[in-house]
Amino acid sequence: MASITVRYFASFRERLGRSEDRVDAAGVGCVADVWTRVSAEPLPANTLIAINQEYASLESAVRAGDEVAFFPPVTGG
């Protein structure tokens, strides 16, 4: 099975109860598809996304063998 590695950081890891998933790459075209496979909740606004350690967006293409990482929005003052 060709897969995509999905990593979660900080509050995403806590909320989902895991730090990593592997999803089947079949039928996955972009980051939004990846998120839909791993969570029923909408992705929070301002989430940082990386594909293979480079910033990406929900519309960025994803292929088998890629690593997709989700970082929660940063707040502060």
Side-chain angles (χ1 to χ4, degrees):
M1 166 180 84
S3 64
I4 296 164
T5 301
V6 185
R7 298 189 192 275
Y8 313 104
F9 293 89
S11 62
F12 283 130
R13 179 177 49 226
E14 293 167 11
R15 184 171 56 188
L16 295 170
R18 58 194 185 274
S19 61
E20 182 177 307
D21 277 318
R22 291 201 188 277
V23 297
D24 185 352
V28 173
C30 65
V31 173
D33 297 334
V34 172
W35 183 257
T36 300
R37 294 251 181 121
V38 299
S39 179
E41 298 178 28
L43 189 65
N46 301 322
T47 296
L48 294 177
I49 302 164
I51 299 173
N52 301 325
Q53 300 181 2
E54 293 188 20
Y55 286 115
S57 70
L58 281 173
E59 297 81 26
S60 296
V62 180
R63 294 178 258 312
D66 283 347
E67 175 189 81
V68 178
F70 293 97
F71 301 86
V74 178
T75 60

